[in-house]
Amino acid sequence: MGDEAKDNGILDKTPASSHHTRNVFFLGAASGLVVAFFAAVFSKQLRPVARGVVKSAIKVGQQVQRTAAGLKEEFEDIAAEAKAEIDQEQGQGQ
């Protein structure tokens, strides 16, 4: 496999490929630093927006809970009425 790898250029570490690898590494490192810098700058500006989004999500969640509680109560009332009707029908049938 060693000879085939050399023939295919897999193990070929010529100065040109080493230079390319170094350039790619530094380009990646530099882009990481740029992203980190802009993330820090924009995080200060985006924090109020993010807080607003979270606040809205909490309010929606609370509204959903209130609505679900109301629906549950309504269903329990309907079930109780239905049971009472069944009990009444069974009492009249005897």
Side-chain angles (χ1 to χ4, degrees):
M1 179 173 158
D3 292 334
E4 291 175 16
K6 280 184 181 180
D7 292 340
N8 291 331
I10 294 172
L11 297 178
D12 186 21
K13 291 293 182 184
T14 61
S17 67
S18 176
H19 181 69
H20 176 71
T21 302
R22 194 175 323 127
N23 285 344
V24 170
F25 171 78
F26 286 120
L27 180 63
S31 64
L33 289 173
V34 169
V35 167
F37 172 76
F38 281 110
V41 169
F42 287 120
S43 69
K44 292 176 185 176
Q45 294 174 351
L46 293 178
R47 188 173 184 88
V49 173
R51 189 173 51 243
V53 168
V54 170
K55 185 178 175 182
S56 296
I58 290 170
K59 286 182 176 181
V60 168
Q62 291 172 339
Q63 183 63 35
V64 167
Q65 287 177 337
R66 284 192 293 271
T67 302
L71 289 173
K72 179 183 175 194
E73 186 177 327
E74 186 71 27
F75 180 75
E76 288 172 348
D77 289 347
I78 291 171
E81 290 172 10
K83 186 177 181 311
E85 286 179 13
I86 289 172
D87 291 344
Q88 184 180 16
E89 289 170 359
Q90 288 178 347
Q92 288 177 356
Q94 293 180 358

